Amino acid sequence: TLSWLVLELAKNPELQKRLQNEVDGFFHSLDGRDMTYKDLANLKFMTKCIMETLRLWPAVANGTFREIQFDDYIKGPDGKDVLIPKGTYCRVINWSRHRNPELWGADSNEFNPDREWQDTEIWNGEGLRAYNPASERFSPFTFQPRDCIGKNFAHMEMRAILCYLLRDFSFELTDEYSGVDPETFQGVNYGTMGPQDLTQPEMVESLPGWGPPRRKPTGLFVKPLPRK
């Protein structure tokens, strides 16, 4: 998620500057002391940037499975009821829901942290809370009661890392990532999804015992520029 967010910030320097301004104000408010969990709730624009990254580039794009606990019906072709028997495994897919223009609008394939969020997707605008941020259209950490056990640590970790990165550096695209076609550059999914390493050939040899003999390489290269 951090890799994808740094890539999007490098592609959108005006958003990167806004986030840096928030980070600068955040450190100024700390007045030299260490940040705490409660402090992280003040980073409200960072929360929108992280959530937009999780929407556009879900770490687990395939989603997760759930077992149906009782017979149920869903609407099928032509509006007909289709029986889903008890015990059926159903997959809750993130990629297609998170990019569905019927759910997110015409800019669903664009990075827009200022989009109209539902309250439950950004903790009612409170910046950071411990419960799972999700809705019917948005589930980066799956759904309760079996949501991601590490989600709270991940949110704290991402914010702490981003604060120090953006305080000290700005990021620009390298030549390889400038002008990439968003219709074809959509990540590499090996269970968790990351950016494709465009500095290497399209296919490389896999490590022994790791998946197919050849695979698309993952990785990201950007230009870190020290801030003055």
Side-chain angles (χ1 to χ4, degrees), residues 94-157:
N94 289 329
W95 178 268
S96 54
R97 281 186 307 120
H98 285 191
R99 287 175 172 252
N100 188 335
E102 294 183 8
L103 301 176
W104 296 94
D107 66 344
S108 60
N109 286 325
E110 300 174 13
F111 183 79
N112 177 17
D114 293 315
R115 70 176 58 256
E116 186 174 346
W117 295 94
Q118 296 180 14
D119 288 342
T120 58
E121 296 165 350
I122 54 170
W123 296 296
N124 297 292
E126 295 178 344
L128 180 63
R129 289 296 181 266
Y131 64 87
N132 186 21
S135 68
E136 292 182 353
R137 65 177 185 173
F138 183 66
S139 56
F141 293 97
T142 73
F143 290 108
Q144 296 176 340
R146 296 185 181 276
D147 56 17
C148 174
I149 194 172
K151 63 185 180 300
N152 293 331
F153 174 74
H155 277 294
M156 290 186 288
E157 182 181 41

